[in-house]
Amino acid sequence: MIQYFKNIQLKEAIFCFILLCFFSACEEEREMNEGEGRIVQNFNADWNFQLGEHPEAKNDTIDLADWRKLDVPHDWSIEGEFSEEHPTKPEGGALPAGIGWYRKTFEVPESWNNRNVFISFDGVYRNSEIWINGKYLGKRPFGYISFQYELTPYLKFGESNAIAVKVDNSAQPNSRWYTGSGIYRNVHLVAKSNVHIDHWGTSVSTPFVSKDSAKVSFKVTIKNNLDSLKKIQLKNVVVDQSGKTIASEEVNLQLSATDSINVGQNFTISNPKLWSTESPYLYSIETSIYQDRKLLDNVKTPLGIRKFHFDSEKGFFLNGKHTKIKGVCLHHDNGALGAAINVYALERKLKLLKKMGTNAIRMAHNPPSPEMLELSDKMGFIVQDEAFDVWKKGKIKEDYQTIWDKWYEKDLKAMLYRDRNHPSVMMWSIGNEIREQFDSTGVHITKELVAIVKSVDTTRPVTSALTENIPEKNFVWQSGALDLLGFNYKHEAYEDLPNRFPNQKFISSESVSGLMTRGSYDMPSGERRNWPPAHGEDFDGNDDYTVSAYDQVSAYWGSTHEETWKTVKKLDHMAGMFVWTGFDYLGEPIPYPYPARSSYFGMIDLAGFPKDVYYMYQSEWTYKDVLHIFPHWNWKKGETIDVWAYYNNADEVELFLNGRSLGIKSKIGDDLHVAWSVEYEPGNLKAISRKDGEVVLEKTIETAEEPAQIELKPDKNEMKSDKNDLVFVTVNILDKAGVLAPKANNLVKFEVSGGGKIVGVDNGYQASLESFKAKQRKAFNGKCLVIIQSNGKKELVKLTARSEGLNSTSINIQIKD
Ligand code: GAL
C-alpha cells in the first residue's frame, strides 16, 4: 500500500498535483537506465590552516605561503601544550582554544552546472563562519551539530573555487568538557540533480514487528528546484545484509515547479531478521528517483527491524525480551587524537566496551558524530542521543545559553532529522541536569522541546537526565511531557521512585562517577571514601595525582561501581543504567588540581587500557568466563596487601601464594568480588576458579624484576593505505622473564618508517603534561600507547621502540589496499 503526504508548510505556499501510479508486486520489474545519481565527495583533503584572525582568507589575493597544509578532521587544541593559563582551564583539558582559519581551493566540473551543490559539515567546533568565493554563507555557533550550505549560486563550474572557514572557540569556558577546536568531523561535497531527495529527507520506522513478519513504514521528501513541472519515478528497494532485494515499490510522481512532496511507502517483510544488541542485523532501503529511466538521485537509509518499550514495573524490553540496559556515558573525545573524528578509533573504543558487556551508550551531553551512530547500529548498542547540557540557564559562562533563543529549535531538529533512522537510537534526551529543573520556567521549555521532538519522531521516548528526585521540586518533571524519567546518581532513592512518581518509567541516566587510576593502588582497599567537595583537596594523602584502582572512591554525589550496579540489578523498574563513564575523557580532572587535566571516572583509561573494575562489569554483564585478580605483585616484604578477584560462572576461587593455598572464597548474597588479606612475599600469586569442583579458569600474577625489555602489541597487523586507518600499539615494559613491570615509567622513543606515521602517544596518566603528539612517551604503571596512521605509501610499516637501559624492539605492520 502506498500513502502520500503533502508537506504542510510548502502546501501553504504552492499548490501542486501528485499523480499516483500503483505497481502491484507481481508487475514486471522495469529496467531503469543508469544515470549518475547523487555524487558525494569526501572533502577532507588539502586544506590550508592558520591559527589566529585571518579575514583575508576569504579573498583570492591571500598569500598562503606560510599556511599549514593539512587534512581534516582536525583539532588544533590537541596539538598544543598544556597550561593552567589556557582559558579552557583544566576542566576543558588545559589545552589552547582560540581562533583558526581554514581555506581550500577546489575544482568543480563543468558537468555539474545543472546540479545543486552542497557542502556538508558533520561538526565544526565552534562558531563556524563560511565563505565561498568571497560570499558569506552563514554562521553555525553550536559546535556539536551537523549542517550544510548550498553552494550552487556562487560556484564557478569548470573552474577553481575557494572556501574559507573561520572557527572561533575563543570565548571560554563554553562547554563541559574538552571540546577540541576546528573542523573536527568529516566534510562532504554533495552534488544532486535539481530534482532530488531532500537533506536528511528519508525516515523509516517499524510500527509492527514479530518473528514472522514486520511492517516497515518509509517516507521520503523530494524537492523540485526547477521552475517547471517534473514527472519522475520513485523506487524504493529493501535490501538485506547480503545485498539481496527482499521488497520493492515503485511509483510515478508529478512535482510542481519549485515544489516539495512527502511520499510514504509501506513494506511487509516476512520472517525478518531482527536487530538486537547481540545480533545487530541491518537491512537498508535504497531510494532512487528517475526521470525517463535516467537516475536523478539516490540515497541509502539504514533499516534495523526491532521493537522496544519501557515498562513502569519491568523496565526495558527489546523485541519482547526483558533486557537490562547496561550502559556507559561517553564524552566525545578520542584521547590522544583529541576531538578529531576517526572511525577506527571509535571502533576500537566500542569493541572494548562490547567486550566488557556494555549494550548501551549515552552520548553525553551532545550529538555525536554520524560515524558513532553508524557503528552503534552495526555493533549493537542501544543509544541515548542527547541534545543539550544547558538550556536558557547556563552552568558555565559561554555555553549554549548564550545562543539558546536563536538556535535551540534548529539544532534540536538537526539532531532529530539526522539521527532518526538509526535503529540503535532508542531514546531522545533533551538535556542533562538542566538548571530549569529548579524553577517554573522548566515546565514550558520542557513541553516545547518535547513537542519539537514529537513533530519529527513519535517512535522513541523523550527523556531528560534529572538530578532532582523530589517531584514538587522538579519542574522538568512537572511539565508532564517526559516519556521516560532519567535520574542521575542518588542510587539510594531508586527503590522509592515508583512511590514518588507513580506509573512512570525510569532509567539511571548517569551513575557512579568512581575515581580510579589504572594500575595505581596507593590506598588500602576496604576504605570506602567519597571525594570531599573541597576542590583541590588531595583525598588519599598522596601528591602524585593518582587514585587507587580498587573500587572504593567516588565523587561525593556518586557511588562505587558495585553500589549502583547492585541496586539497578535488583530493581526491575529501573530499565538500566549509564555509568559515568566508559572511558576517561579530557577535562574534568576533579578532584585534582592542575597538572591533572583529564577525568578519573572511566572504566578504561584515556589510552584505552582497562582499569580493574572493567572486569567487574565483564563478570556481571557477559556470559563468558571471567577471572581477574589484582593488584600487581610488587610490594615490600611483610606488607599486608588486599587481593581482590572478580569472577563468574564459578562457585569459588582459591588463591595460592607460591603454591601455598590462602583459602577458598565465594561471593555471598549480592557480592561482586571476593578478597583476601595477604602478607606479601615475592613470587607468584595464582587464582583458580571452580564450578562443581571443575576448574573454570586460572590466573597468575608474578613479581617483576627490574625493567629489561619493551613489548609492542599492535591491535592489528595490517592497515589500509587510506591515510586514515590506525593501528593502536600497546607498549609494555617487561622484566627479563617477560613479566610486566607494574611501576615502570621508562621513557620510550618511537621511530616509524614506510607507510605509517605517529599520530598520537599516551599512557593513560591523568596528570601527565607530555604532548600527545610527540614521538616518545613515558610509560605509566608499565604501559604506554603509540598510535600509527597510514600515510598513503604502500610500504611495509616498521615501528621501533627504544628506551635507555632496555632492549629495543620492532614490529612490522603490513599495508593493504
Ligand atoms: C554529572 C554531570 C557530568 C559530569 C559528572 C561527573 O553531574 O552530568 O557531566 O560532570 O557529573 O561526576
Side-chain angles (χ1 to χ4, degrees):
M1 174 165 157
I2 302 171
Q3 299 161 347
Y4 296 92
F5 303 87
K6 193 70 190 65
N7 180 315
I8 289 166
Q9 282 154 357
L10 284 169
K11 192 178 179 185
E12 287 161 12
I14 310 152
F15 179 74
C16 85
F17 295 100
I18 306 168
L19 291 182
L20 309 178
C21 246
F22 294 93
F23 294 82
S24 70
C26 56
E27 195 175 1
E28 218 180 292
E29 278 270 310
R30 293 173 310 166
E31 277 297 301
M32 299 291 196
N33 292 327
E34 274 301 296
E36 225 177 347
R38 179 172 298 202
I39 300 169
V40 180
Q41 288 183 352
N42 179 303
F43 204 65
N44 288 343
D46 303 326
W47 289 79
N48 298 281
F49 171 72
Q50 188 73 287
L51 272 178
E53 256 300 15
H54 295 282
E56 68 280 10
K58 295 177 235 171
N59 310 322
D60 286 343
T61 47
I62 175 114
D63 177 5
L64 294 169
D66 53 358
W67 283 50
R68 184 174 149 200
K69 303 237 171 325
L70 52 75
D71 296 344
V72 301
H74 169 238
D75 169 9
W76 79 71
S77 294
I78 201 71
E79 298 168 348
E81 298 291 320
F82 292 105
S83 163
E84 202 178 358
E85 302 306 314
H86 289 311
T88 53
K89 298 290 170 204
E91 288 73 18
L95 285 165
I99 296 178
W101 281 77
Y102 296 82
R103 183 180 160 96
K104 168 169 165 139
T105 49
F106 61 106
E107 295 274 326
V108 177
E110 183 70 59
S111 58
W112 286 14
N113 71 3
N114 57 356
R115 284 179 171 262
N116 296 162
V117 184
F118 300 84
I119 187 154
S120 99
F121 291 87
D122 289 346
V124 181
Y125 208 92
R126 105 201 245 253
N127 286 315
S128 64
E129 287 184 88
I130 304 186
W131 291 260
I132 178 77
N133 296 330
K135 304 278 180 343
Y136 188 59
L137 290 173
K139 177 169 179 173
R140 193 72 183 212
F142 195 27
Y144 296 106
I145 207 72
S146 301
F147 58 94
Q148 72 161 31
Y149 293 107
E150 180 158 12
L151 304 181
T152 325
Y154 319 108
L155 285 177
K156 295 180 269 179
F157 293 92
E159 290 177 45
S160 176
N161 295 269
I163 189 153
V165 180
K166 176 184 174 182
V167 181
D168 185 351
N169 192 17
S170 57
Q172 290 285 342
N174 64 44
S175 181
R176 300 174 334 131
W177 308 99
Y178 176 81
T179 63
S181 311
I183 306 178
Y184 73 106
R185 292 183 183 161
N186 289 309
V187 188
H188 291 96
L189 203 61
V190 184
K192 306 181 191 177
S193 151
N194 31 39
V195 179
H196 59 242
I197 299 154
D198 203 3
H199 185 42
W200 300 325
T202 63
S203 84
V204 68
S205 62
T206 49
F208 175 80
V209 175
S210 77
K211 256 185 25 237
D212 307 324
S213 89
K215 288 216 179 320
V216 177
S217 160
F218 185 70
K219 291 172 195 163
V220 52
T221 307
I222 302 168
K223 270 186 145 174
N224 177 10
N225 277 352
L226 295 171
D227 47 15
S228 59
L229 183 130
K230 275 280 154 191
K231 287 183 179 169
I232 61 163
Q233 300 83 47
L234 165 70
K235 184 173 182 182
N236 283 309
V237 181
V238 182
V239 173
D240 73 9
Q241 216 160 264
S242 70
K244 199 171 120 210
T245 296
I246 54 161
S248 76
E249 291 276 4
E250 282 179 44
V251 62
N252 285 350
L253 302 169
Q254 185 163 300
L255 280 89
S256 299
T258 63
D259 196 10
S260 158
I261 56 168
N262 290 337
V263 184
Q265 296 194 323
N266 290 339
F267 300 92
T268 301
I269 313 285
S270 313
N271 303 315
K273 293 202 174 70
L274 303 190
W275 185 98
S276 68
T277 54
E278 299 89 27
S279 173
Y281 192 90
L282 284 177
Y283 296 87
S284 61
I285 301 183
E286 295 178 357
T287 304
S288 310
I289 55 173
Y290 299 85
Q291 184 188 14
D292 301 330
R293 310 279 167 265
K294 182 170 163 269
L295 181 65
L296 295 177
D297 196 17
N298 55 321
V299 296
K300 213 183 212 186
T301 305
L303 165 63
I305 299 181
R306 85 289 187 260
K307 65 175 177 187
F308 66 90
H309 70 277
F310 288 84
D311 181 272
S312 55
E313 285 170 15
K314 295 271 168 224
F316 179 74
F317 291 78
L318 181 58
N319 300 325
K321 185 175 146 201
H322 185 244
T323 303
K324 204 53 132 180
I325 293 182
K326 299 162 184 165
V328 299
C329 299
L330 283 189
H331 192 56
H332 79 136
D333 72 74
N334 289 310
L337 303 175
I341 194 75
N342 180 292
V343 77
Y344 301 100
L346 296 180
E347 202 175 5
R348 171 183 184 243
K349 272 174 112 166
L350 295 184
K351 273 186 185 160
L352 277 159
L353 291 173
K354 196 87 204 177
K355 233 171 128 183
M356 187 178 79
T358 313
N359 65 9
I361 298 168
R362 171 174 172 228
M363 305 295 175
H365 301 299
N366 297 110
S369 63
E371 290 78 6
M372 190 69 182
L373 295 178
E374 281 159 22
L375 285 168
S376 300
D377 291 346
K378 276 191 205 144
M379 296 172 72
F381 290 98
I382 296 161
V383 168
Q384 180 172 131
D385 207 357
E386 187 154 273
F388 303 118
D389 190 33
V390 293
W391 295 347
K392 255 175 117 75
K393 294 205 160 94
K395 297 174 183 168
I396 52 171
K397 204 164 127 249
E398 299 289 345
D399 204 347
Y400 199 87
Q401 74 277 5
T402 58
I403 55 166
W404 174 264
D405 286 338
K406 186 158 175 218
W407 285 99
Y408 71 94
E409 185 170 357
K410 286 192 197 82
D411 286 334
L412 179 57
K413 280 191 170 161
M415 176 184 96
L416 298 163
Y417 280 113
R418 190 196 70 171
D419 297 348
R420 61 186 166 167
N421 294 325
H422 289 285
S424 56
V425 175
M426 298 196 198
M427 290 157 259
W428 299 117
S429 165
I430 52 174
N432 173 59
E433 298 189 350
I434 293 300
R435 290 282 168 261
E436 284 84 347
Q437 273 175 106
F438 310 111
D439 71 73
S440 57
T441 62
V443 172
H444 87 262
I445 302 183
T446 308
K447 280 187 182 160
E448 191 190 351
L449 296 181
V450 174
I452 293 170
V453 177
K454 304 279 180 189
S455 74
V456 179
D457 178 40
T458 53
T459 69
R460 297 165 173 96
V462 184
T463 187
S464 182
L466 309 168
T467 45
E468 182 52 77
N469 59 24
I470 301 180
E472 311 79 76
K473 293 190 181 166
N474 187 328
F475 293 89
V476 168
W477 141 255
Q478 283 183 30
S479 71
L482 295 179
D483 303 308
L484 171 69
L485 303 186
F487 282 105
N488 287 6
Y489 305 99
K490 302 181 186 161
H491 66 287
E492 313 80 18
Y494 291 169
E495 189 156 5
D496 194 41
L497 289 176
N499 298 325
R500 297 191 196 178
F501 302 89
N503 303 318
Q504 296 301 305
K505 298 157 185 169
F506 305 103
I507 189 160
S508 167
S509 34
E510 193 174 312
S511 57
V512 181
S513 280
L515 295 156
M516 285 179 190
T517 302
R518 187 258 314 154
S520 292
Y521 306 92
D522 38 20
M523 177 178 164
S525 86
E527 268 187 46
R528 169 76 181 94
R529 298 280 297 272
N530 279 338
W531 155 59
H535 240 269
E537 197 171 321
D538 186 13
F539 56 78
D540 63 1
N542 286 316
D543 56 7
D544 60 357
Y545 298 86
T546 63
V547 188
S548 176
Y550 290 109
D551 180 19
Q552 63 199 112
V553 188
S554 71
Y556 66 90
W557 54 87
S559 75
T560 65
H561 290 272
E562 294 193 357
E563 284 162 353
T564 299
W565 170 237
K566 282 181 188 177
T567 307
V568 171
K569 186 178 169 184
K570 71 167 192 236
L571 296 176
D572 274 352
H573 64 265
M574 295 305 293
M577 74 198 257
F578 289 102
V579 181
W580 189 268
T581 45
F583 280 75
D584 285 350
Y585 49 96
L586 287 158
E588 201 180 28
I590 53 169
Y592 286 117
Y594 193 75
R597 44 62 178 164
S598 56
S599 82
Y600 290 72
F601 296 123
M603 303 148 165
I604 301 171
D605 75 14
L606 199 68
F609 303 137
K611 301 178 187 176
D612 294 298
V613 79
Y614 176 96
Y615 301 95
M616 185 280 281
Y617 286 105
Q618 194 176 51
S619 70
E620 285 286 297
W621 287 3
T622 70
Y623 295 103
K624 64 184 162 212
D625 298 339
V626 174
L627 174 61
H628 178 76
I629 51 170
F630 60 101
H632 56 76
W633 209 237
N634 276 63
W635 301 96
K636 285 198 206 99
K637 208 158 184 236
E639 252 183 298
T640 302
I641 304 301
D642 292 316
V643 176
W644 284 29
Y646 296 126
Y647 71 95
N648 64 0
N649 301 347
D651 316 312
E652 59 181 38
V653 179
E654 185 167 7
L655 191 68
F656 300 85
L657 177 58
N658 294 326
R660 226 169 48 242
S661 175
L662 301 178
I664 294 175
K665 302 262 176 174
S666 299
K667 291 188 270 195
I668 298 165
D670 63 359
D671 285 353
L672 298 175
H673 73 269
V674 288
W676 296 257
S677 198
V678 181
E679 192 178 321
Y680 175 74
E681 68 184 51
N684 71 66
L685 193 66
K686 179 159 106 179
I688 300 181
S689 62
R690 296 190 199 93
K691 181 158 187 70
D692 302 328
E694 298 287 320
V695 173
V696 178
L697 284 176
E698 274 190 32
K699 276 281 153 70
T700 304
I701 48 177
E702 289 177 70
T703 305
E705 291 180 23
E706 287 305 301
Q709 49 175 325
I710 308 170
E711 179 187 42
L712 296 178
K713 287 183 96 173
D715 66 342
K716 55 189 195 237
N717 296 316
E718 55 175 27
M719 65 176 156
K720 295 188 206 118
S721 65
D722 60 0
K723 289 167 105 180
N724 197 26
D725 201 353
L726 299 173
V727 174
F728 290 81
V729 185
T730 299
V731 182
N732 292 322
I733 308 295
L734 310 178
D735 73 1
K736 62 178 187 307
V739 178
L740 184 86
K743 284 281 158 198
N745 60 359
N746 309 60
L747 177 68
V748 187
K749 298 187 172 173
F750 304 106
E751 255 168 52
V752 66
S753 63
K757 61 178 183 184
I758 295 168
V759 289
V761 288
D762 192 6
N763 59 18
Y765 179 37
Q766 293 104 335
S768 166
L769 297 183
E770 294 165 279
S771 167
F772 288 122
K773 295 295 171 189
K775 294 191 169 47
Q776 59 178 46
R777 189 69 169 196
K778 279 173 88 172
F780 174 70
N781 289 338
K783 282 176 176 291
C784 64
L785 173 82
V786 54
I787 311 169
I788 310 293
Q789 183 163 54
S790 56
N791 62 13
K793 287 190 213 150
K794 294 194 175 150
E795 292 169 20
L796 184 75
V797 183
K798 183 171 179 185
L799 170 70
T800 304
R802 295 178 220 280
S803 182
E804 220 181 298
L806 306 183
N807 286 348
S808 30
T809 187
S810 297
I811 51 160
N812 291 335
I813 301 161
Q814 307 284 337
I815 292 287
K816 58 176 181 180
D817 284 332

